[in-house]
Coordinates of all heavy atoms in Angstrom, one line a residue:
M1 N 4.6 9.2 16.8 CA 4.3 8.1 15.9 C 3.9 6.9 16.7 O 4.4 6.6 17.7 CB 5.6 7.7 15.1 CG 5.5 6.5 14.2 SD 6.8 6.3 13.0 CE 8.3 6.5 13.9
T2 N 2.9 6.1 16.2 CA 2.3 5.0 16.8 C 2.4 3.8 15.9 O 2.0 3.9 14.7 CB 0.8 5.2 17.2 OG1 0.7 6.4 18.0 CG2 0.3 4.1 18.0
W3 N 2.9 2.7 16.4 CA 2.9 1.4 15.6 C 1.6 0.6 15.9 O 1.2 0.4 17.0 CB 4.1 0.6 16.0 CG 5.4 1.2 15.5 CD1 6.2 2.0 16.3 CD2 6.0 1.1 14.2 NE1 7.3 2.4 15.5 CE2 7.2 1.9 14.2 CE3 5.6 0.5 13.1 CZ2 8.0 2.0 13.1 CZ3 6.4 0.6 11.9 CH2 7.6 1.3 12.0
V4 N 1.0 0.2 14.8 CA -0.3 -0.5 14.9 C -0.1 -1.8 14.2 O 0.3 -1.9 13.0 CB -1.4 0.3 14.2 CG1 -2.7 -0.4 14.3 CG2 -1.5 1.7 14.9
R5 N -0.5 -2.9 14.8 CA -0.5 -4.3 14.2 C -1.6 -4.4 13.2 O -2.8 -4.1 13.6 CB -0.6 -5.3 15.3 CG 0.6 -5.5 16.1 CD 0.6 -6.6 17.0 NE 1.9 -6.7 17.6 CZ 2.5 -7.8 18.1 NH1 1.9 -8.9 18.1 NH2 3.7 -7.7 18.6
V6 N -1.3 -4.9 12.1 CA -2.4 -4.9 11.0 C -2.5 -6.3 10.4 O -3.5 -6.6 9.8 CB -2.2 -3.9 9.9 CG1 -2.3 -2.5 10.4 CG2 -0.8 -4.1 9.2
A7 N -1.5 -7.2 10.6 CA -1.6 -8.5 10.0 C -0.5 -9.4 10.5 O 0.4 -8.9 11.2 CB -1.4 -8.4 8.5
G8 N -0.6 -10.7 10.3 CA 0.5 -11.6 10.6 C 1.5 -11.6 9.5 O 1.1 -11.3 8.3
N9 N 2.7 -11.8 9.8 CA 3.8 -11.7 8.8 C 3.5 -12.8 7.7 O 3.9 -12.6 6.6 CB 5.1 -11.9 9.4 CG 6.2 -11.7 8.4 OD1 6.1 -10.9 7.5 ND2 7.3 -12.4 8.6
N10 N 2.9 -13.9 8.0 CA 2.7 -15.0 7.1 C 1.4 -14.8 6.3 O 1.0 -15.6 5.5 CB 2.7 -16.3 7.7 CG 4.0 -16.6 8.3 OD1 5.1 -16.2 7.8 ND2 4.1 -17.3 9.4
D11 N 0.6 -13.7 6.6 CA -0.7 -13.5 5.9 C -0.6 -13.1 4.5 O -1.5 -13.3 3.7 CB -1.5 -12.5 6.7 CG -1.9 -12.9 8.0 OD1 -1.7 -14.1 8.4 OD2 -2.4 -12.1 8.8
L12 N 0.6 -12.5 4.1 CA 0.7 -12.1 2.7 C 1.9 -12.8 2.0 O 3.0 -12.7 2.5 CB 1.0 -10.6 2.6 CG -0.3 -9.7 2.7 CD1 -0.3 -9.0 4.1 CD2 -0.2 -8.7 1.6
S13 N 1.6 -13.5 1.0 CA 2.7 -14.2 0.2 C 3.3 -13.1 -0.7 O 2.6 -12.1 -1.0 CB 2.1 -15.3 -0.7 OG 1.3 -16.2 0.1
P14 N 4.5 -13.4 -1.2 CA 5.1 -12.5 -2.2 C 4.2 -12.3 -3.4 O 3.6 -13.2 -3.9 CB 6.4 -13.1 -2.6 CG 6.8 -13.9 -1.4 CD 5.4 -14.4 -0.8
G15 N 4.0 -11.0 -3.8 CA 3.2 -10.8 -5.0 C 1.7 -10.6 -4.6 O 0.9 -10.6 -5.5
T16 N 1.4 -10.4 -3.3 CA 0.0 -10.2 -2.9 C -0.2 -8.9 -2.1 O 0.8 -8.4 -1.6 CB -0.6 -11.4 -2.1 OG1 0.2 -11.5 -0.9 CG2 -0.4 -12.7 -2.9
F17 N -1.4 -8.5 -2.0 CA -1.7 -7.2 -1.3 C -3.1 -7.3 -0.8 O -3.9 -8.1 -1.4 CB -1.4 -6.0 -2.2 CG -2.3 -6.1 -3.5 CD1 -3.4 -5.3 -3.6 CD2 -1.9 -6.9 -4.5 CE1 -4.2 -5.3 -4.7 CE2 -2.7 -6.9 -5.7 CZ -3.8 -6.1 -5.8
R18 N -3.4 -6.4 0.1 CA -4.8 -6.4 0.6 C -5.0 -5.1 1.4 O -4.0 -4.4 1.8 CB -5.1 -7.6 1.5 CG -4.4 -7.6 2.8 CD -4.9 -8.8 3.6 NE -4.6 -8.7 5.0 CZ -4.7 -9.7 5.8 NH1 -5.0 -10.9 5.5 NH2 -4.4 -9.5 7.1
Q19 N -6.2 -4.8 1.7 CA -6.6 -3.6 2.5 C -6.5 -4.0 4.0 O -7.0 -5.1 4.4 CB -8.0 -3.2 2.2 CG -8.4 -1.9 2.9 CD -9.8 -1.6 2.7 OE1 -10.7 -2.1 3.4 NE2 -10.1 -0.6 1.8
V20 N -5.9 -3.1 4.8 CA -5.9 -3.3 6.2 C -6.4 -1.9 6.8 O -6.4 -0.9 6.1 CB -4.5 -3.6 6.8 CG1 -4.1 -5.0 6.3 CG2 -3.5 -2.6 6.5
K21 N -6.8 -1.9 8.0 CA -7.2 -0.7 8.7 C -6.3 -0.4 9.9 O -6.0 -1.3 10.6 CB -8.7 -0.8 9.1 CG -9.7 -0.8 8.0 CD -11.1 -0.9 8.5 CE -12.0 -1.1 7.3 NZ -13.4 -1.6 7.7
A22 N -6.0 0.8 10.0 CA -5.1 1.2 11.2 C -5.5 2.6 11.5 O -5.5 3.5 10.7 CB -3.7 1.1 10.8
G23 N -5.9 2.8 12.8 CA -6.3 4.1 13.2 C -7.4 4.8 12.4 O -7.3 6.0 12.2
G24 N -8.3 4.0 11.9 CA -9.4 4.5 11.1 C -9.0 4.8 9.7 O -9.8 5.3 8.9
Q25 N -7.8 4.6 9.3 CA -7.3 4.8 7.9 C -7.3 3.5 7.2 O -7.0 2.4 7.7 CB -5.9 5.4 7.9 CG -5.8 6.7 8.6 CD -4.4 7.3 8.3 OE1 -4.0 7.5 7.2 NE2 -3.7 7.5 9.4
L26 N -7.7 3.6 5.9 CA -7.6 2.4 5.0 C -6.3 2.5 4.3 O -5.8 3.5 3.8 CB -8.7 2.5 3.9 CG -10.2 2.5 4.4 CD1 -11.1 2.6 3.3 CD2 -10.4 1.3 5.3
I27 N -5.6 1.3 4.5 CA -4.2 1.2 4.0 C -4.1 0.0 3.1 O -4.6 -1.1 3.4 CB -3.2 1.1 5.2 CG1 -3.3 2.4 6.0 CG2 -1.8 0.8 4.8 CD1 -2.6 2.4 7.3
C28 N -3.3 0.2 2.0 CA -3.0 -1.0 1.1 C -1.7 -1.5 1.5 O -0.7 -0.8 1.5 CB -3.0 -0.5 -0.3 SG -2.7 -1.8 -1.5
L29 N -1.7 -2.8 2.0 CA -0.4 -3.4 2.4 C 0.0 -4.4 1.3 O -0.9 -5.3 0.9 CB -0.7 -4.2 3.7 CG 0.5 -4.9 4.4 CD1 1.6 -4.0 4.8 CD2 0.0 -5.7 5.6
A30 N 1.2 -4.3 0.8 CA 1.6 -5.2 -0.3 C 3.0 -5.8 0.0 O 3.8 -5.2 0.6 CB 1.7 -4.3 -1.6
R31 N 3.1 -7.0 -0.4 CA 4.4 -7.7 -0.3 C 4.8 -8.0 -1.7 O 4.1 -8.7 -2.5 CB 4.2 -9.0 0.5 CG 5.5 -9.9 0.4 CD 5.5 -10.9 1.5 NE 6.2 -10.4 2.7 CZ 5.9 -10.7 3.9 NH1 4.9 -11.5 4.2 NH2 6.7 -10.2 4.9
V32 N 6.0 -7.4 -2.1 CA 6.5 -7.6 -3.5 C 7.2 -8.9 -3.6 O 7.4 -9.6 -2.6 CB 7.3 -6.4 -3.9 CG1 6.5 -5.1 -4.0 CG2 8.5 -6.2 -3.0
A33 N 7.6 -9.2 -4.8 CA 8.2 -10.6 -5.1 C 9.4 -10.9 -4.3 O 9.6 -12.1 -3.9 CB 8.5 -10.7 -6.6
D34 N 10.2 -9.9 -3.9 CA 11.4 -10.2 -3.1 C 11.1 -10.3 -1.6 O 12.0 -10.4 -0.8 CB 12.5 -9.2 -3.4 CG 12.2 -7.8 -3.0 OD1 11.2 -7.6 -2.3 OD2 13.0 -6.9 -3.4
G35 N 9.8 -10.1 -1.2 CA 9.5 -10.3 0.2 C 9.3 -9.0 1.0 O 8.8 -9.1 2.1
R36 N 9.7 -7.9 0.4 CA 9.6 -6.6 1.1 C 8.1 -6.2 1.2 O 7.3 -6.5 0.3 CB 10.4 -5.5 0.5 CG 11.9 -5.7 0.6 CD 12.6 -4.6 -0.1 NE 12.3 -4.6 -1.5 CZ 12.4 -3.5 -2.3 NH1 12.8 -2.3 -1.8 NH2 12.1 -3.6 -3.6
L37 N 7.8 -5.6 2.3 CA 6.4 -5.1 2.6 C 6.4 -3.6 2.5 O 7.3 -2.9 2.9 CB 6.0 -5.5 4.0 CG 5.5 -6.9 4.3 CD1 5.5 -7.2 5.8 CD2 4.2 -7.2 3.6
F38 N 5.3 -3.1 1.9 CA 5.0 -1.7 1.8 C 3.6 -1.4 2.1 O 2.7 -2.2 1.9 CB 5.3 -1.2 0.3 CG 6.7 -1.4 -0.1 CD1 7.1 -2.5 -1.0 CD2 7.7 -0.6 0.3 CE1 8.4 -2.7 -1.4 CE2 9.0 -0.8 -0.1 CZ 9.4 -1.8 -0.9
A39 N 3.4 -0.2 2.7 CA 2.1 0.3 3.0 C 1.9 1.7 2.5 O 2.7 2.5 2.6 CB 1.9 0.3 4.5
L40 N 0.7 1.9 1.8 CA 0.4 3.2 1.4 C -1.1 3.4 1.5 O -1.9 2.4 1.6 CB 0.9 3.5 0.0 CG 0.2 2.9 -1.2 CD1 0.7 3.5 -2.5 CD2 0.5 1.4 -1.3
S41 N -1.5 4.7 1.5 CA -2.9 5.0 1.6 C -3.7 4.2 0.6 O -3.2 4.2 -0.6 CB -3.1 6.5 1.5 OG -4.5 6.7 1.3
D42 N -4.8 3.7 0.9 CA -5.6 2.8 0.0 C -6.4 3.7 -1.0 O -7.0 3.2 -1.9 CB -6.5 1.9 0.7 CG -6.9 0.7 -0.1 OD1 -6.3 0.5 -1.2 OD2 -7.9 0.0 0.2
E43 N -6.4 5.0 -0.8 CA -7.2 5.8 -1.6 C -6.4 6.4 -2.7 O -5.4 7.1 -2.5 CB -7.9 6.9 -0.8 CG -9.0 7.7 -1.5 CD -9.7 8.7 -0.6 OE1 -10.0 8.3 0.5 OE2 -9.8 9.8 -1.0
C44 N -6.8 6.2 -4.0 CA -6.1 6.8 -5.1 C -6.1 8.4 -5.0 O -7.1 8.9 -4.5 CB -6.8 6.4 -6.4 SG -6.0 7.0 -7.9
T45 N -5.1 9.0 -5.4 CA -5.0 10.5 -5.3 C -5.7 11.2 -6.4 O -5.8 12.4 -6.5 CB -3.6 11.0 -5.2 OG1 -2.9 10.6 -6.4 CG2 -2.9 10.4 -4.0
H46 N -6.2 10.4 -7.4 CA -7.0 11.0 -8.5 C -8.4 11.1 -8.2 O -9.0 12.2 -8.2 CB -6.8 10.1 -9.8 CG -7.5 10.7 -11.0 ND1 -8.4 9.9 -11.7 CD2 -7.5 11.9 -11.5 CE1 -8.9 10.6 -12.7 NE2 -8.4 11.8 -12.6
E47 N -9.1 10.0 -7.9 CA -10.5 10.1 -7.5 C -10.7 9.1 -6.4 O -9.8 8.8 -5.7 CB -11.4 9.8 -8.7 CG -11.5 11.0 -9.7 CD -12.4 10.8 -10.9 OE1 -13.1 9.8 -10.9 OE2 -12.4 11.7 -11.7
Q48 N -11.9 8.5 -6.3 CA -12.3 7.7 -5.1 C -12.1 6.2 -5.3 O -13.1 5.5 -5.0 CB -13.7 8.1 -4.7 CG -13.9 9.5 -4.3 CD -13.3 9.9 -3.1 OE1 -13.4 9.2 -2.1 NE2 -12.5 11.0 -3.1
A49 N -11.0 5.8 -5.8 CA -10.9 4.3 -6.0 C -9.9 3.8 -4.9 O -9.1 4.5 -4.4 CB -10.3 4.1 -7.4
L50 N -10.2 2.5 -4.7 CA -9.3 1.8 -3.7 C -8.2 1.1 -4.4 O -8.4 0.2 -5.3 CB -10.1 0.8 -2.9 CG -11.2 1.3 -2.0 CD1 -12.1 0.2 -1.4 CD2 -10.6 2.2 -0.9
L51 N -7.0 1.4 -4.0 CA -5.8 0.8 -4.7 C -5.7 -0.7 -4.4 O -5.2 -1.5 -5.2 CB -4.5 1.5 -4.3 CG -4.4 3.0 -4.7 CD1 -3.1 3.6 -4.1 CD2 -4.5 3.2 -6.2
S52 N -6.3 -1.1 -3.3 CA -6.3 -2.5 -2.9 C -7.2 -3.4 -3.9 O -7.2 -4.6 -3.8 CB -6.7 -2.7 -1.5 OG -8.0 -2.2 -1.3
E53 N -8.0 -2.7 -4.7 CA -8.8 -3.4 -5.7 C -8.1 -3.4 -7.1 O -8.7 -3.7 -8.1 CB -10.2 -2.8 -5.7 CG -10.9 -3.0 -4.4 CD -12.3 -2.4 -4.4 OE1 -12.7 -1.7 -5.4 OE2 -13.0 -2.6 -3.4
G54 N -6.9 -2.8 -7.1 CA -6.2 -2.7 -8.4 C -5.3 -3.9 -8.6 O -5.6 -5.1 -8.2
E55 N -4.2 -3.7 -9.3 CA -3.2 -4.8 -9.7 C -1.8 -4.4 -9.2 O -1.4 -3.3 -9.2 CB -3.2 -4.9 -11.2 CG -4.5 -5.3 -11.8 CD -4.8 -6.8 -11.6 OE1 -3.9 -7.6 -11.4 OE2 -6.0 -7.1 -11.7
L56 N -1.1 -5.4 -8.7 CA 0.3 -5.3 -8.3 C 1.1 -5.6 -9.6 O 1.0 -6.6 -10.2 CB 0.6 -6.2 -7.2 CG 1.9 -6.1 -6.5 CD1 2.1 -4.7 -5.9 CD2 2.1 -7.1 -5.4
E57 N 2.0 -4.6 -9.9 CA 2.8 -4.8 -11.1 C 4.2 -4.5 -10.6 O 4.7 -3.4 -10.6 CB 2.4 -3.8 -12.2 CG 1.0 -3.9 -12.7 CD 0.8 -5.0 -13.7 OE1 1.8 -5.6 -14.1 OE2 -0.4 -5.3 -13.9
G58 N 5.0 -5.6 -10.3 CA 6.3 -5.4 -9.8 C 6.3 -4.6 -8.5 O 5.7 -5.1 -7.5
N59 N 7.0 -3.5 -8.4 CA 7.0 -2.7 -7.2 C 6.0 -1.5 -7.3 O 6.2 -0.5 -6.6 CB 8.4 -2.1 -7.0 CG 9.4 -3.3 -6.6 OD1 8.9 -4.4 -6.2 ND2 10.7 -3.1 -6.8
E60 N 5.0 -1.6 -8.2 CA 4.0 -0.6 -8.3 C 2.6 -1.2 -8.2 O 2.4 -2.4 -8.4 CB 4.1 0.1 -9.7 CG 5.4 0.9 -9.9 CD 5.5 1.6 -11.2 OE1 4.7 1.3 -12.1 OE2 6.3 2.5 -11.3
I61 N 1.7 -0.3 -7.8 CA 0.3 -0.7 -7.7 C -0.5 0.1 -8.7 O -0.2 1.3 -8.8 CB -0.3 -0.7 -6.3 CG1 -1.6 -1.5 -6.3 CG2 -0.4 0.7 -5.8 CD1 -1.9 -2.2 -5.0
E62 N -1.4 -0.5 -9.4 CA -2.1 0.2 -10.5 C -3.6 0.4 -10.0 O -4.2 -0.6 -9.6 CB -2.1 -0.7 -11.8 CG -2.8 0.0 -12.9 CD -2.7 -0.9 -14.2 OE1 -3.5 -1.9 -14.2 OE2 -1.9 -0.6 -15.0
C63 N -4.1 1.6 -10.1 CA -5.5 1.9 -9.7 C -6.4 1.2 -10.7 O -6.2 1.1 -11.9 CB -5.7 3.4 -9.8 SG -7.4 3.9 -9.4
P64 N -7.5 0.6 -10.1 CA -8.5 -0.1 -10.9 C -9.4 0.8 -11.8 O -10.0 0.3 -12.7 CB -9.3 -0.9 -9.9 CG -9.3 0.0 -8.7 CD -7.9 0.6 -8.6
L65 N -9.4 2.1 -11.5 CA -10.4 2.9 -12.2 C -9.8 3.6 -13.4 O -10.4 3.4 -14.5 CB -10.9 4.0 -11.2 CG -12.2 4.7 -11.6 CD1 -13.3 3.7 -11.9 CD2 -12.6 5.7 -10.5
H66 N -8.7 4.3 -13.3 CA -8.1 4.9 -14.5 C -6.7 4.5 -14.7 O -6.0 5.1 -15.5 CB -8.2 6.4 -14.4 CG -9.6 6.9 -14.2 ND1 -10.0 7.5 -13.0 CD2 -10.8 6.9 -14.9 CE1 -11.2 7.8 -13.0 NE2 -11.8 7.4 -14.1
Y67 N -6.3 3.5 -14.0 CA -5.0 2.8 -14.2 C -3.7 3.7 -14.0 O -2.7 3.4 -14.5 CB -4.9 2.3 -15.7 CG -6.2 1.5 -16.0 CD1 -7.1 1.9 -16.9 CD2 -6.5 0.3 -15.3 CE1 -8.3 1.3 -17.1 CE2 -7.7 -0.4 -15.5 CZ -8.6 0.1 -16.5 OH -9.7 -0.6 -16.7
S68 N -3.8 4.7 -13.1 CA -2.6 5.3 -12.6 C -1.8 4.3 -11.8 O -2.4 3.4 -11.3 CB -2.9 6.5 -11.7 OG -3.4 7.6 -12.5
R69 N -0.5 4.6 -11.8 CA 0.4 3.7 -11.1 C 1.1 4.4 -10.0 O 1.4 5.6 -10.1 CB 1.4 3.0 -12.0 CG 0.8 2.0 -12.8 CD 1.9 1.4 -13.7 NE 1.4 0.3 -14.5 CZ 2.1 -0.9 -14.7 NH1 3.3 -1.0 -14.2 NH2 1.5 -1.8 -15.4
F70 N 1.3 3.8 -8.9 CA 2.0 4.4 -7.7 C 3.1 3.4 -7.3 O 3.0 2.2 -7.2 CB 1.0 4.6 -6.6 CG -0.1 5.5 -6.9 CD1 -1.3 5.0 -7.4 CD2 0.0 6.9 -6.6 CE1 -2.3 5.9 -7.7 CE2 -1.0 7.7 -6.9 CZ -2.2 7.2 -7.5
E71 N 4.3 4.1 -7.1 CA 5.5 3.3 -6.6 C 5.2 3.0 -5.2 O 5.0 3.9 -4.4 CB 6.7 4.3 -6.8 CG 8.0 3.6 -6.8 CD 9.1 4.6 -7.1 OE1 9.2 5.6 -6.4 OE2 9.7 4.5 -8.2
L72 N 5.3 1.7 -4.8 CA 5.0 1.3 -3.4 C 6.0 1.9 -2.4 O 5.6 2.3 -1.3 CB 5.0 -0.2 -3.3 CG 3.9 -0.9 -4.0 CD1 4.2 -2.4 -4.2 CD2 2.6 -0.7 -3.3
E73 N 7.2 2.0 -2.8 CA 8.2 2.5 -1.8 C 8.1 4.0 -1.5 O 8.2 4.4 -0.3 CB 9.6 2.2 -2.3 CG 10.7 2.4 -1.3 CD 12.0 1.7 -1.7 OE1 12.1 1.2 -2.8 OE2 12.9 1.7 -0.9
T74 N 7.7 4.8 -2.4 CA 7.7 6.2 -2.3 C 6.3 6.8 -2.3 O 6.1 7.9 -1.9 CB 8.5 6.9 -3.3 OG1 7.9 6.7 -4.6 CG2 10.0 6.4 -3.3
G75 N 5.3 6.1 -2.9 CA 4.0 6.6 -3.2 C 3.9 7.5 -4.4 O 2.8 7.9 -4.8
R76 N 5.0 7.7 -5.1 CA 5.1 8.6 -6.3 C 4.1 8.0 -7.3 O 4.1 6.8 -7.6 CB 6.5 8.6 -6.8 CG 6.8 9.6 -7.9 CD 8.2 9.7 -8.2 NE 8.8 8.4 -8.6 CZ 9.0 8.1 -9.9 NH1 8.7 8.9 -10.9 NH2 9.5 6.9 -10.2
A77 N 3.4 9.0 -7.9 CA 2.5 8.6 -9.1 C 3.4 8.5 -10.3 O 4.1 9.4 -10.7 CB 1.4 9.6 -9.3
T78 N 3.4 7.3 -10.9 CA 4.3 7.1 -12.1 C 3.5 7.0 -13.4 O 4.1 6.8 -14.4 CB 5.1 5.8 -11.9 OG1 4.2 4.7 -11.8 CG2 6.0 5.9 -10.7
G79 N 2.2 7.1 -13.3 CA 1.4 7.1 -14.5 C 0.1 7.9 -14.4 O -0.5 7.9 -13.3
L80 N -0.2 8.7 -15.4 CA -1.4 9.6 -15.4 C -2.6 8.7 -15.4 O -2.6 7.6 -15.8 CB -1.3 10.5 -16.6 CG -0.2 11.5 -16.6 CD1 -0.1 12.2 -18.0 CD2 -0.3 12.5 -15.5
P81 N -3.8 9.3 -14.9 CA -4.0 10.7 -14.7 C -3.6 11.2 -13.3 O -3.6 12.4 -13.0 CB -5.5 10.8 -14.8 CG -6.1 9.5 -14.5 CD -5.0 8.5 -14.9
A82 N -3.3 10.4 -12.3 CA -2.9 10.9 -11.0 C -1.5 11.5 -11.1 O -0.6 11.1 -11.8 CB -2.9 9.7 -10.0
T83 N -1.4 12.6 -10.4 CA -0.1 13.3 -10.4 C 0.4 13.5 -8.9 O 1.6 13.7 -8.7 CB -0.2 14.7 -11.0 OG1 -1.2 15.5 -10.3 CG2 -0.5 14.6 -12.5
E84 N -0.5 13.4 -8.0 CA -0.1 13.5 -6.6 C 0.3 12.2 -6.0 O -0.4 11.2 -6.2 CB -1.3 14.1 -5.8 CG -1.1 14.5 -4.4 CD -2.4 15.0 -3.7 OE1 -3.3 15.5 -4.5 OE2 -2.5 14.8 -2.5
A85 N 1.3 12.2 -5.2 CA 1.8 11.0 -4.5 C 0.8 10.4 -3.5 O 0.1 11.2 -2.9 CB 3.2 11.2 -3.9
A86 N 0.8 9.1 -3.3 CA 0.0 8.5 -2.3 C 0.8 8.6 -1.0 O 2.1 8.4 -1.0 CB -0.4 7.1 -2.6
C87 N 0.2 8.7 0.1 CA 0.9 8.7 1.4 C 1.4 7.3 1.7 O 0.7 6.3 1.5 CB -0.2 9.2 2.5 SG 0.5 9.3 4.1
T88 N 2.6 7.2 2.2 CA 3.2 5.9 2.5 C 3.4 5.9 4.0 O 3.5 6.9 4.7 CB 4.5 5.7 1.8 OG1 5.4 6.7 2.1 CG2 4.3 5.6 0.3
F89 N 3.6 4.6 4.5 CA 3.7 4.4 5.9 C 4.9 3.4 6.1 O 5.1 2.5 5.4 CB 2.5 3.8 6.5 CG 1.3 4.6 6.3 CD1 0.5 4.4 5.2 CD2 0.9 5.5 7.3 CE1 -0.7 5.2 5.0 CE2 -0.3 6.3 7.1 CZ -1.0 6.1 6.0
E90 N 5.7 3.7 7.2 CA 6.7 2.7 7.6 C 6.1 1.4 8.0 O 5.1 1.4 8.6 CB 7.5 3.3 8.7 CG 8.8 4.0 8.4 CD 9.6 4.4 9.6 OE1 10.3 3.5 10.1 OE2 9.4 5.5 10.1
V91 N 6.8 0.3 7.7 CA 6.3 -1.0 8.0 C 7.5 -1.7 8.8 O 8.6 -1.6 8.4 CB 6.0 -1.8 6.8 CG1 5.4 -3.2 7.2 CG2 4.9 -1.1 5.9
R92 N 7.1 -2.5 9.8 CA 8.1 -3.3 10.5 C 7.4 -4.7 10.9 O 6.2 -4.7 10.9 CB 8.7 -2.6 11.7 CG 7.7 -2.5 12.9 CD 8.4 -1.8 14.0 NE 7.5 -1.8 15.2 CZ 7.7 -1.1 16.3 NH1 8.9 -0.5 16.5 NH2 6.9 -1.2 17.3
I93 N 8.2 -5.6 11.2 CA 7.7 -6.9 11.6 C 8.2 -7.1 13.0 O 9.4 -7.1 13.3 CB 8.2 -8.1 10.7 CG1 7.6 -7.8 9.3 CG2 7.8 -9.4 11.2 CD1 8.2 -8.7 8.2
V94 N 7.3 -7.4 13.9 CA 7.6 -7.6 15.4 C 6.9 -8.9 15.8 O 5.7 -8.9 15.7 CB 7.2 -6.4 16.2 CG1 7.5 -6.7 17.7 CG2 7.9 -5.1 15.8
D95 N 7.6 -9.8 16.3 CA 7.0 -11.1 16.9 C 6.1 -11.7 15.9 O 5.0 -12.1 16.3 CB 6.3 -10.8 18.2 CG 7.3 -10.3 19.3 OD1 8.5 -10.7 19.2 OD2 6.9 -9.5 20.2
G96 N 6.4 -11.7 14.6 CA 5.6 -12.4 13.6 C 4.4 -11.6 13.2 O 3.5 -12.1 12.4
A97 N 4.3 -10.3 13.6 CA 3.2 -9.5 13.2 C 3.7 -8.3 12.4 O 4.8 -7.8 12.6 CB 2.4 -8.9 14.4
V98 N 2.9 -7.9 11.4 CA 3.2 -6.7 10.6 C 2.7 -5.4 11.3 O 1.5 -5.4 11.7 CB 2.6 -6.8 9.2 CG1 2.9 -5.5 8.4 CG2 3.1 -8.0 8.5
E99 N 3.5 -4.5 11.5 CA 3.1 -3.2 12.1 C 3.3 -2.0 11.2 O 4.3 -2.0 10.5 CB 3.8 -3.0 13.5 CG 3.5 -4.0 14.5 CD 4.2 -3.8 15.8 OE1 5.1 -2.9 15.9 OE2 3.8 -4.4 16.8
I100 N 2.4 -1.1 11.3 CA 2.5 0.1 10.4 C 2.6 1.3 11.4 O 1.9 1.4 12.4 CB 1.2 0.2 9.5 CG1 1.2 -0.9 8.5 CG2 1.1 1.6 8.9 CD1 0.0 -0.9 7.6
A101 N 3.5 2.3 11.0 CA 3.6 3.5 11.8 C 2.6 4.5 11.3 O 2.6 4.9 10.2 CB 5.1 4.0 11.6
L102 N 1.8 5.0 12.3 CA 0.9 6.1 12.0 C 1.5 7.4 12.6 O 2.0 7.3 13.7 CB -0.5 5.8 12.6 CG -1.2 4.6 12.0 CD1 -2.5 4.4 12.7 CD2 -1.4 4.7 10.5
P103 N 1.4 8.5 11.9 CA 1.9 9.7 12.4 C 1.2 10.2 13.7 O 0.0 9.8 13.9 CB 1.7 10.7 11.3 CG 0.8 10.1 10.3 CD 0.8 8.6 10.6
Ligands
FES201 S1 -9.3 7.0 -9.5 FE1 -7.3 6.2 -9.6 S2 -6.5 6.8 -11.5 FE2 -8.5 7.7 -11.4

């Protein structure tokens, strides 16, 4: 496993999210209202939409194309049409930077 710096810890306010790149992968990095950070693959498991262009709804992110929802903590699809979970990544904060664990 390799830790990759993707953002500063102060770059994301609670309730915001954005796309970051790590190891050639597109990742959606989100900070929920209570301050926790989550990272999951930015590609919807249904078709070719970017989750970072969707909406953050509590602890879930909603796909902009057909509105499937994914639980940020587990990647589990909680709303059709997607049924396959999104890949999630461990996140940590080191020296004021957000790092994501790549396998
Ligand atoms: S592309 Fe995301 S739900 Fe269809």
Side-chain angles (χ1 to χ4, degrees):
M1 174 166 50
T2 305
W3 290 95
V4 179
R5 288 188 175 206
V6 294
N9 186 33
N10 295 327
D11 292 350
L12 279 106
S13 306
T16 64
F17 59 102
R18 70 178 199 192
Q19 183 188 79
V20 296
K21 290 181 186 164
Q25 296 188 62
L26 299 180
I27 293 169
C28 179
L29 179 67
R31 172 163 266 147
V32 297
D34 66 10
R36 289 179 298 156
L37 280 165
F38 297 103
L40 74 169
S41 170
D42 199 16
E43 193 174 311
C44 182
T45 60
H46 178 233
E47 286 182 4
Q48 301 290 313
L50 294 174
L51 297 178
S52 60
E53 294 179 354
E55 298 284 337
L56 189 60
E57 301 280 349
N59 292 340
E60 296 184 342
I61 193 147
E62 184 180 75
C63 177
L65 198 53
H66 307 112
Y67 312 112
S68 282
R69 287 180 174 219
F70 297 89
E71 200 173 63
L72 290 166
E73 191 162 6
T74 64
R76 184 172 65 97
T78 60
L80 295 171
T83 56
E84 188 182 330
C87 181
T88 59
F89 302 89
E90 265 187 82
V91 182
R92 71 180 183 184
I93 296 167
V94 176
D95 296 332
V98 178
E99 297 184 348
I100 291 176
L102 296 180

